Amino acid sequence: TQLLEQSPQFLSIQEGENLTVYCNSSSVFSSLQWYRQEPGEGPVLLVTVVTGGEVKKLKRLTFQFGDARKDSSLHITAAQPGDTGLYLCASRYALNFGKGTSLLVTP
Amino acid sequence: DVKVTQSSRYLVKRTGEKVFLECVQDMDHENMFWYRQDPGLGLRLIYFSYDVKMKEKGDIPEGYSVSREKKERFSLILESASTNQTSMYLCASGLASSYEQYFGPGTRLTVT
């Protein structure tokens, strides 16, 4: 089982700030997904990254896959209260999930 | 849009009861999954299925069983519910050719 470490565990910021959260593994990812989960709901897929060095953008969210495919980051620009939620990374076939970063954005 | 539905959003059962959690997807996905989610432990895979009548154990199958008689439906069964099975249960589905999963809204199960 591939272990995924996410950091930070919790993050509380004000609206308009930028932030970055991380997902790391000791072994190489074949691919990686990022999900966002709102309280009381199931996770929703945001993006899949496959190629080392890949960068994908989804509006104010920027996802990067490390060159060695052992780490990934999610950067949010000008965070909004609607970005509040639990951000999860998952490895191939999403059989392994990190414990997530819980983000709170206050107005 | 992919839709994954779960039979109940909230469920309260007594210790020792047999509990059925139903999951239905409408996108003809081959893969279906059951997870539980607990604070501090994250999502943990209970069982998954790659095809009708096929099942594979995940990381924490003890105390659970599953059934997949039809492609669109994947059921999780707690043979004799215990208090340590109080949790949020999440079902997901996905294509065999894809890494992506689509989740239902979850069932919050309380066993008293």
Side-chain angles (χ1 to χ4, degrees), chain B residues 15-57:
Chain B
T15 302
E17 282 192 84
K18 191 168 186 176
V19 181
F20 293 88
L21 302 181
E22 302 282 336
C23 176
V24 178
Q25 51 97 1
D26 67 356
M27 285 302 293
D28 204 34
H29 285 165
E30 294 85 3
N31 299 338
M32 296 190 75
F33 306 82
W34 275 106
Y35 296 87
R36 62 177 285 177
Q37 186 174 31
D38 301 286
L41 297 177
L43 265 76
R44 292 180 292 167
L45 182 65
I46 304 172
Y47 270 97
F48 59 102
S49 169
Y50 289 134
D51 201 351
V52 175
K53 297 191 185 295
M54 302 292 289
K55 61 184 179 183
E56 297 286 343
K57 292 181 180 180

Side-chain angles (χ1 to χ4, degrees), chain B residues 7 11 13 18-22 75-78:
Chain B
S7 48
L11 205 54
K13 295 292 182 181
K18 191 168 186 176
V19 181
F20 293 88
L21 302 181
E22 302 282 336
S75 302
L76 180 68
I77 303 153
L78 287 65

Side-chain angles (χ1 to χ4, degrees), chain B residues 54-97:
Chain B
M54 302 292 289
K55 61 184 179 183
E56 297 286 343
K57 292 181 180 180
D59 297 324
I60 52 164
E62 296 79 18
Y64 303 94
S65 61
V66 290
S67 173
R68 193 167 180 201
E69 296 297 319
K70 293 184 178 181
K71 190 174 185 179
E72 67 272 17
R73 188 179 298 269
F74 194 32
S75 302
L76 180 68
I77 303 153
L78 287 65
E79 296 289 343
S80 178
S82 63
T83 54
N84 63 11
Q85 292 178 310
T86 291
S87 186
M88 169 71 101
Y89 289 87
L90 290 160
C91 174
S93 72
L95 289 169
S97 58

Side-chain angles (χ1 to χ4, degrees), chain A residues 23-34:
Chain A
C23 177
N24 296 287
S25 173
S26 57
S27 52
V28 174
F29 295 112
S30 55
S31 70
L32 186 135
Q33 298 92 50
W34 283 95

Side-chain angles (χ1 to χ4, degrees), chain A residues 1 9 30-33 35 37 40-45 47-48 50 86 88 91-99, chain B residues 9 31 33 35 37 40-43 45 48 50 59 88 90 96-106 108:
Chain A
T1 301
Q9 188 177 358
S30 55
S31 70
L32 186 135
Q33 298 92 50
Y35 293 80
Q37 184 179 20
E41 299 295 329
V44 175
L45 178 70
V47 76
T48 297
V50 179
L86 179 67
L88 296 159
S91 68
R92 181 185 174 94
Y93 296 117
L95 295 185
N96 300 315
F97 277 83
K99 292 183 179 179
Chain B
R9 292 299 299 269
N31 299 338
F33 306 82
Y35 296 87
Q37 186 174 31
L41 297 177
L43 265 76
L45 182 65
F48 59 102
Y50 289 134
D59 297 324
M88 169 71 101
L90 290 160
S97 58
S98 169
Y99 309 130
E100 300 168 351
Q101 291 194 0
Y102 299 87
F103 283 83
R108 185 161 294 281

Side-chain angles (χ1 to χ4, degrees), chain A residues 3 9 17 28 38 43 46 49 74 83 87 89 95 104-105:
Chain A
L3 293 179
Q9 188 177 358
E17 292 185 36
V28 174
E38 297 184 8
L46 296 174
V49 286
L74 159 58
D83 296 326
Y87 288 82
C89 64
L95 295 185
L104 175 64
V105 183

